[in-house]
């Protein structure tokens, strides 16, 4: 098993040191001339930005989109296997959430070589997410402007029965876009996929009213975690309110990568 250490930002070091270290790691990852980022995604996906942009802009209760299929199928199968067999997850629990999480995957570059070799699919997907090609795609679809390749975070979550994440808006620092890549068991429910009774939906909340920035009491969109799907949404104070419904299914896991 590979233990990916916690993000630098959680250690008692200066913010400047953290930013420099993370920038160096990500620059090394994105500079690899061997990576064919386009091949990591579903065929033709990066050419669909013009089609997806108006759908993203018109979505309610705030701008978002769901893309399925997102990733090369073989690559994502490898990612799921490595996550389940080789990553270490720590239970996180506060008054607003309960789930299991890995460390920041930016730290893969700091692992000993023999440990990195155990996570080839995860590293390949991470480098593709950090690539200029994918960042340009996300920037075009969301209209959020240029995205940094040195300030992208990425971790993995496992939501088991009774795990949840209460209402929040993802506003952290200068974050512009949030993403979630879903990797539940493709064979779940005899191949029918995630069902409403399983819980674990991503719930999107509108504003209480045009005069208020407070979220409404109930969500107006509930997105089930579908295999090989990415959800993108812009992060806006007082608007991008969302939650993860409690997982209810017995022996069901809502496995995801997000950042």
């Amino acid at each position: 098993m590979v233990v990916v250490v916690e993000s630098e930002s959680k250690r008692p070091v200066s913010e400047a040191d953290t930013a420099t270290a993370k920038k160096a790691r990500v620059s090394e990852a994105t500079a690899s001339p061997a990576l064919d980022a386009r091949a990591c995604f579903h065929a033709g996906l990066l050419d669909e930005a013009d089609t997806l942009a108006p759908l993203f802009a018109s979505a309610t209760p705030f701008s978002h989109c769901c893309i399925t299929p997102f990733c090369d199928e073989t690559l994502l199968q490898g990612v799921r296997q490595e996550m389940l067999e080789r990553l270490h997850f720590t239970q996180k629990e506060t008054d607003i959430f309960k789930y299991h999480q890995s460390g920041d995957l930016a730290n893969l570059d700091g692992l000993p070589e023999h440990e990195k070799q155990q996570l080839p699919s995860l590293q390949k997907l991470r480098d593709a997410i950090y690539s200029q090609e994918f960042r340009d795609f996300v920037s075009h679809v969301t209209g959020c402007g240029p995205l940094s390749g040195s300030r992208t975070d990425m971790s993995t979550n496992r939501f088991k029965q009774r795990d949840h994440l209460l209402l929040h808006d993802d506003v952290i620092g200068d974050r512009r876009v949030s993403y979630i890549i879903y990797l539940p068991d493709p064979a779940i429910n005899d191949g029918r996929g995630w069902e409403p009774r399983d819980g674990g939906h991503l719930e999107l909340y509108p504003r209480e009213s045009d005069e208020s920035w407070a979220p409404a009491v109930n969500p107006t969109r509930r997105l089930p975690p579908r295999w090989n799907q990415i959800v993108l949404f812009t992060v806006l104070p007082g608007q991008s309110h969302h939650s993860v419904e409690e997982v209810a299914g017995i022996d069901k896991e809502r496995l995801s990568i997000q950042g």
Side-chain angles (χ1 to χ4, degrees):
M1 178 173 290
V2 177
V3 178
V4 181
V5 298
E6 293 289 347
S7 169
E8 294 281 351
S9 61
K10 298 177 182 177
R11 298 176 182 173
V13 297
S14 72
E15 184 176 347
D17 288 343
T18 297
T20 299
K22 188 169 184 178
K23 184 173 183 178
R25 290 194 302 272
V26 176
S27 296
E28 179 185 348
T30 57
S32 172
L35 176 68
D36 181 359
R38 296 180 71 89
C40 296
F41 304 108
H42 183 68
L45 174 64
L46 300 190
D47 299 319
E48 295 297 320
D50 286 338
T51 301
L52 292 168
L55 300 176
F56 180 91
S58 62
T60 59
F62 52 83
S63 295
H64 70 277
C65 68
C66 307
I67 302 172
T68 311
F70 163 67
C71 188
D72 173 77
E73 183 73 18
T74 301
L75 175 60
L76 202 64
Q77 291 280 4
V79 168
R80 175 179 164 81
Q81 183 175 355
E82 290 170 12
M83 288 171 64
L84 293 175
E85 296 179 0
R86 299 171 187 171
L87 285 187
H88 173 74
F89 289 82
T90 302
Q91 181 171 314
K92 309 283 186 177
E93 185 171 5
T94 70
D95 56 341
I96 70 163
F97 60 75
K98 178 177 178 288
Y99 52 78
H100 297 74
Q101 187 175 64
S102 74
D104 189 339
L105 297 184
N107 290 308
L108 289 178
D109 295 315
L111 292 174
E113 191 60 35
H114 72 280
E115 292 189 5
K116 283 196 291 185
Q117 290 176 0
Q118 297 181 50
L119 303 170
S121 298
L122 260 171
Q123 182 148 343
K124 188 174 183 179
L125 178 60
R126 187 211 59 176
D127 292 354
I129 294 291
Y130 285 177
S131 70
Q132 187 67 54
E133 295 97 323
F134 185 71
R135 286 185 284 120
D136 287 347
F137 169 79
V138 172
S139 179
H140 190 160
V141 170
T142 64
C144 69
L147 293 170
S148 171
S150 61
R151 304 186 68 182
T152 304
D153 58 68
M154 185 176 185
S155 61
T156 59
N157 281 356
R158 296 176 77 170
F159 281 75
K160 304 180 180 182
Q161 189 178 29
R162 298 190 179 89
D163 286 354
H164 59 275
L165 176 57
L166 299 184
L167 189 67
H168 63 292
D169 62 10
D170 265 15
V171 176
I172 301 174
D174 59 356
R175 180 181 290 180
R176 292 186 178 184
V177 176
S178 287
Y179 65 88
I180 309 165
I181 304 168
Y182 291 116
L183 302 93
D185 183 357
I188 194 171
N189 294 322
D190 297 322
R192 296 190 304 275
W194 201 271
E195 297 182 342
R197 65 182 180 181
D198 298 323
H201 289 66
L202 177 66
E203 300 178 317
L204 308 184
Y205 291 76
R207 288 163 55 184
E208 191 174 51
S209 68
D210 291 340
E211 293 74 35
S212 172
W213 294 102
V217 174
N218 297 310
T220 54
R221 282 219 68 185
R222 299 175 69 250
L223 306 175
R226 300 189 187 282
W227 167 256
N228 202 359
Q229 179 181 78
I230 187 171
V231 176
L232 295 166
F233 59 89
T234 46
V235 176
L236 296 169
Q239 295 187 55
S240 52
H241 289 109
H242 60 285
S243 64
V244 176
E245 179 188 26
E246 181 176 315
V247 173
I250 299 174
D251 297 327
K252 306 289 173 64
E253 280 198 355
R254 181 186 187 273
L255 192 65
S256 64
I257 297 173
Q258 62 284 314

